[in-house]
Each structure stands twice: as structure tokens, then as C-alpha cells.
Amino acid sequence: MLTIKEDNMKIAYVCYEIQQRYITADVADEDTLLLHYLQEKGLDITREIWTDSKVNWADYKTVILKAPWDYHDKIREFTAWLDRLHNLGIQILNPYTVVKWNSDKHYLNDIATAGLGVIPSLFIEKGEKPDFEMFFRHFNSDKIIFKPCISAGAKNTMVITPENCASIQKDGHALLVEEAFIAQPFMKEIQTEGEWSFLFFNGKYSHCIVKKPKSGDFRIQHYYGGTIHDEAIDKQYIETAQLYVDKFAKGCLYARVDGIIANGTFLLMELELIEPFLFLEKHPEGLALYYEALMALL
């Protein structure tokens, strides 16, 4: 039986096998930058690929989930891997229970039930075959976003309009055979004002950025042509973002609160607690704040 050496402080810095897709000319290689920074601080930290069968995870005291970006494609394998780490008594950052909860967008129900603002959402469970025209009536909107409950990076995300509804329904029903989906009204603020991301380390606010899609698109990810901007924001929205972290991200090394501001109200799109890009280069003390938070949790 594998056991953990109690006297070590070895840290696994967990990433994804293929990183290049997410590195562009205008976005730093954050994972390498942060890893080198932590190593220079004297931490015994090693980059590992979570799917690498050769890794003896019992050698590690702590596992940091930095960029396991393919977890949603291998969710059963990922969950089993988390279970193994948990059963070995390894500290997982972010925490085991939080990560499992956050891996499925059904978590948005819990946040809405707690009284915090969330983009209106309708869950379509695996095996269901709804009439997609119903979405227009349900949300009183003529443009709907339809995406998997377990996904990242806009994978299998579709925009439903009255013009393409019939063809999207056919594709959607085929996808629903395999997994659950979530439908939400398209929020025009994405294209006009952008999506805000508020970054927190160990529950403390660090910085925020706003992401905007390229003209004619709705995907804000930089590898789809989206852009990242530093913009000032009213303190009230930082305080609102803090509420999501205080309620649902306890004990988390990092948390990214993503959302829009519609008619003066912040509405959550995603609470990112597994593998978010942290935009550390957008804050002069970003690396230091991450390090301080990590040391407080070790």
C-alpha cells in the first residue's frame, strides 16, 4: 500500500499534456512563469501531467491544480484520480470537495439558491429531447447559448436562433444522448461591455480584467481572438464578487469569478475553481500574492 512520507513538502504542479493551444503572442505562458517563480522561492515543486501513469503521487504532500485543461474530456478518469489523491491523504489545492462540485455546471443551481446573481439557466439532462423552440419562450429571448454541463473553453457551445433552431436541435439531441447541457439567454453585454474576471487568492481579492470577443463572435477566450483589458471597476462589484468566494470557495488557493454587469447588476457566468487562467501578469504583485496565499495554506 502506498503511503506518504510525512516529513516531505514536495508539491506537484499539475498541468495538461499539451499547453501550446493556450499560449498566444499577447498572452504570457503563465504556467511556466509561475512555476519558475515558486521554484526560485525555494519550494520543492515539480510540474506533473495529471494523466501520466508513471507519476507516484504518494511522493507528494500537496497537489496544486494549475492547468489540467483536459479534465472535462476525461471526467471519469479525472474524478477517479481526485479520489485516489484524496484517499492517499494528499492536500489538493483547490480542495477535493470543491473541485468535484465545481466540475459540473449544475453548481450554478446551488449559487442561485443561495440568493446570489447568476445568468438565468435551464438544465437539460442526459437523454432528454426537448423542443428547442421552448427556450425562446422560457427566456423571452431570440438568442440562446447551449453548452455542456461539463466543459471548458467553449467546447460544443452553440448559439440557437429562430433561423438555425431546427438544425441545432438535431445536433443537440445527439449530444444529449451522451451528457447533460445547460441553456442560457445570450447576454448582449458580452459583446458590448465584455466579461469581467475577478481574481482571488486564499479568499483575498487580487485584481480584475475584462475580456471581450472579437467582432462578430461571442467567445471571449484569447485563443479564439478575444482580447484582455485592464479596466477600473467600481468597488461595489469587487465586494459582490467576494460574496461568491466567501460562500463557495472556502479554503481555495485561487478563485476566479466570471460574470457580466447588466443594468448595474453583476450576474455570474462561471465560478472557476479548477483550472482558470489567472492573468497574473496583469497585476504587478500577482505572483507574490499567489505565493503568499500558497504558503498560508501549506
Side-chain angles (χ1 to χ4, degrees), residues 107-120:
Y107 74 78
L108 292 172
N109 269 334
D110 296 334
I111 295 177
T113 299
L116 296 174
V118 176
I119 300 292

Side-chain angles (χ1 to χ4, degrees), residues 11-263:
I11 302 169
Y13 184 86
V14 171
C15 293
Y16 163 41
E17 185 174 3
I18 303 172
Q19 308 289 130
Q20 289 85 349
R21 175 189 175 193
Y22 301 98
I23 300 172
T24 62
D26 59 341
V27 176
D29 180 2
E30 177 179 278
D31 298 331
T32 300
L33 181 69
L34 177 58
L35 176 62
H36 288 172
Y37 181 86
L38 297 176
Q39 289 172 334
E40 290 168 2
K41 286 291 186 180
L43 294 179
D44 185 2
I45 184 167
T46 304
R47 188 182 208 145
E48 300 284 15
I49 307 303
W50 74 271
T51 52
D52 187 348
S53 60
K54 298 186 295 295
V55 178
N56 182 7
W57 297 103
D59 286 342
Y60 290 102
K61 183 78 171 180
T62 300
V63 165
I64 295 175
L65 302 181
K66 179 58 182 76
W69 283 323
D70 58 346
Y71 82 89
H72 58 282
D73 288 325
K74 306 170 183 177
I75 190 63
R76 290 183 181 178
E77 184 179 354
F78 182 69
T79 299
W81 175 71
L82 287 175
D83 291 343
R84 182 186 177 200
L85 298 183
H86 180 66
N87 291 335
L88 284 168
I90 297 170
Q91 179 187 30
I92 305 172
L93 296 173
N94 286 339
Y96 168 79
T97 54
V98 172
V99 170
K100 294 191 79 172
W101 171 79
N102 192 236
S103 67
D104 187 316
K105 290 180 177 62
H106 282 86
Y107 74 78
L108 292 172
N109 269 334
D110 296 334
I111 295 177
T113 299
L116 296 174
V118 176
I119 300 292
S121 304
L122 182 65
F123 292 92
I124 303 90
E125 303 303 333
K126 177 180 176 181
E128 293 183 353
K129 294 184 177 181
D131 176 0
F132 277 24
E133 289 190 356
M134 171 268 295
F135 298 149
F136 304 129
R137 299 188 297 273
H138 181 85
F139 293 115
N140 191 27
S141 173
D142 61 359
K143 187 180 287 189
I144 305 297
I145 299 294
F146 187 70
K147 58 188 177 181
C149 287
I150 300 176
S151 70
K155 178 187 175 182
N156 285 339
T157 296
M158 295 170 275
V159 178
I160 307 172
T161 65
E163 291 74 23
N164 69 14
C165 184
S167 61
I168 292 290
Q169 177 172 300
K170 181 179 179 181
D171 294 339
H173 284 178
L175 291 168
L176 282 163
V177 171
E178 302 296 330
E179 59 184 328
F181 272 66
I182 179 174
Q184 297 175 318
F186 179 83
M187 307 300 290
K188 66 181 186 302
E189 289 80 4
I190 285 288
Q191 293 180 316
T192 56
E193 305 300 325
E195 177 184 303
W196 289 91
S197 287
F198 299 84
L199 282 302
F200 294 80
F201 300 123
N202 193 21
K204 296 179 182 179
Y205 174 71
S206 171
H207 59 288
C208 74
I209 55 93
V210 63
K211 298 164 287 183
K212 298 180 179 180
K214 68 180 182 181
S215 179
D217 205 337
F218 66 95
R219 297 169 298 183
I220 47 77
Q221 291 85 356
H222 58 271
Y223 43 87
Y224 287 126
T227 53
I228 301 163
H229 307 268
D230 296 302
E231 291 187 16
I233 192 166
D234 193 285
K235 183 180 178 182
Q236 67 168 307
Y237 298 116
I238 298 173
E239 293 172 346
T240 298
Q242 183 79 57
L243 297 176
Y244 297 85
V245 175
D246 291 346
K247 180 69 175 178
F248 293 101
K250 290 183 174 65
C252 287
L253 171 59
Y254 55 82
R256 199 179 85 192
V257 182
D258 290 350
I260 62 164
I261 298 171
N263 299 318

